[in-house]
Amino acid sequence: EVFARAIHQVSGRKGSFVPINCSAIPYNLLESELFGYVEGAFTGALKKGKPGKFELANGGTLFLDEIGDMPLEMQAKLLRVLQDSIITRVGSDKSISVDVRILAATNKDLQLLMSEEKFREDLYYRLNVVSIFLPPLRERKIDIPDLVKDFVEEFSRKNFISNIEITAEVMKYLTDYSWKGNIRELRNTVERLVILSPDGKISKDKLPEDILNCSTVDNDMDEEQSDSFDLEKAVSKLERNTIKKAMMLCAGNKMKAAEMLKIKRTTLYYKLKRYGLED
């Protein structure tokens, strides 16, 4: 959603950015959430009816999160709207034209779902105009310092704390962590660190236990202290870390990593084995 919102903000579209989680809304409510409804459409309907997400996003962007969890019958209705740019509220026979940019996201394999007939091929090809693979945060750790900086600025303003300082040790812990919850988890962690640091200094003792326990920072720091004047070990460590970062940025693709590192694939295989990075 963070990435989708960024696309909307630079798109120049004047309308709103409207997100909806397709997996969080029961099927019998999803249609009315997307297309809206009129008075008396169903029991509990509001007296004046209600516009759907498509109408709210008119002139802007509708973000369909977890599109892979959308029921097949709703997929067919969505496809019709994408083709015609016309919606009909539940309980109405009046057509409404809409101008909406669609961004969709999923963590599921849509190719597999199509082979299992759980996702419509025609909808997939209608949506798949531009496809962007967004790696998990643990595979693009180079982004973490910039994200931390942005979140620190955001929460320091919110909590009226000025001149926040993060030690290099804390930043190393944050970069070393795997972040299974991706950017949301990182954002929540930074918010916690800022709140717990009214003096403006974020130190190691403020970090959650799970980050401290999963990190190799202490081991790395011990190695740096003991081998600081051993040139051969320092070069080997730099080479290992560089290869590790390249493999993470390329999501494990050895051919791409070798191109990034400007070495032969056979050389990369050798060095991966040498440094215990095959996995």
Side-chain angles (χ1 to χ4, degrees), residues 131-148:
S131 180
I132 300 173
F133 171 69
L134 188 63
L137 190 56
R138 63 181 175 274
E139 293 179 10
R140 49 191 175 98
K141 293 190 175 185
I142 194 171
D143 292 343
I144 291 177
D146 288 336
L147 290 168
V148 170

Side-chain angles (χ1 to χ4, degrees), residues 34-274:
L34 284 172
F35 308 136
Y37 59 84
V38 296
E39 180 180 350
F42 51 84
T43 303
L46 294 177
K47 201 168 187 180
K48 295 182 180 179
K50 182 182 177 183
K53 301 298 185 184
F54 269 94
E55 288 182 74
L56 296 176
N58 195 20
T61 302
L62 177 62
F63 176 52
L64 301 172
D65 201 3
E66 304 296 354
I67 188 73
D69 293 324
M70 180 176 283
L72 278 170
E73 186 177 343
M74 183 55 62
Q75 291 177 31
K77 295 179 179 180
L78 174 62
L79 178 63
R80 173 59 62 184
V81 173
L82 297 182
Q83 290 172 340
D84 301 338
S85 297
I86 294 175
I87 64 160
T88 304
R89 289 189 180 187
V90 176
S92 173
D93 55 4
K94 180 182 177 182
S95 297
I96 303 173
S97 296
V98 290
D99 172 23
V100 178
R101 165 176 282 171
I102 300 294
L103 298 178
T106 182
N107 63 356
K108 295 188 175 181
D109 185 343
L110 293 185
Q111 297 283 353
L112 177 61
L113 291 180
M114 286 190 291
S115 68
E116 297 174 347
E117 298 185 348
K118 294 179 180 178
F119 198 87
R120 294 179 61 105
E121 287 191 33
D122 47 6
L123 177 59
Y124 173 80
Y125 292 116
R126 186 68 182 81
L127 287 170
N128 195 29
V129 178
V130 177
S131 180
I132 300 173
F133 171 69
L134 188 63
L137 190 56
R138 63 181 175 274
E139 293 179 10
R140 49 191 175 98
K141 293 190 175 185
I142 194 171
D143 292 343
I144 291 177
D146 288 336
L147 290 168
V148 170
K149 181 181 177 182
D150 286 346
F151 293 147
V152 165
E153 290 177 356
E154 174 188 348
F155 293 118
S156 61
R157 288 194 304 268
K158 185 177 179 180
N159 292 279
F160 305 103
I161 302 174
S162 58
N163 300 320
I164 292 282
E165 294 180 11
I166 299 181
T167 65
E169 183 183 23
V170 169
M171 186 63 77
K172 202 167 183 182
Y173 271 102
L174 296 175
T175 306
D176 198 55
Y177 187 58
S178 61
W179 300 110
K180 293 181 181 179
N182 292 302
I183 290 180
R184 286 190 181 91
E185 184 183 5
L186 176 62
R187 186 175 186 275
N188 291 342
T189 298
V190 173
E191 182 176 15
R192 165 195 168 126
L193 293 175
V194 171
I195 291 172
L196 294 178
S197 306
D199 59 352
K201 295 181 180 180
I202 299 177
S203 53
K204 174 183 172 182
D205 61 293
K206 306 290 197 321
L207 289 168
E209 285 295 323
D210 51 350
I211 292 180
L212 292 171
N213 294 337
C214 291
S215 179
T216 59
V217 172
D218 290 334
N219 293 335
D220 289 345
M221 293 184 72
D222 289 342
E223 288 179 13
E224 287 175 4
Q225 292 171 1
S226 61
D227 302 330
S228 56
F229 296 103
D230 190 321
L231 184 59
E232 184 177 351
K233 287 186 177 180
V235 171
S236 294
K237 183 177 180 183
L238 176 62
E239 185 176 61
R240 182 185 187 278
N241 289 339
T242 303
I243 292 172
K244 186 176 179 181
K245 287 180 181 178
M247 289 295 291
M248 287 191 295
L249 289 172
C250 296
N253 187 312
K254 295 182 177 66
M255 183 174 70
K256 290 182 179 179
E259 291 175 356
M260 179 182 290
L261 294 164
K262 294 180 171 54
I263 60 176
K264 295 180 179 179
R265 249 189 297 176
T266 52
T267 303
L268 178 60
Y269 291 146
Y270 164 75
K271 291 183 181 295
L272 288 172
K273 184 175 182 180
R274 176 186 175 187

Side-chain angles (χ1 to χ4, degrees), residues 17-53:
F17 175 84
V18 180
I20 182 170
N21 190 326
C22 300
S23 66
I25 301 174
Y27 168 71
N28 59 335
L29 297 178
L30 186 57
E31 183 176 6
S32 61
E33 282 292 319
L34 284 172
F35 308 136
Y37 59 84
V38 296
E39 180 180 350
F42 51 84
T43 303
L46 294 177
K47 201 168 187 180
K48 295 182 180 179
K50 182 182 177 183
K53 301 298 185 184

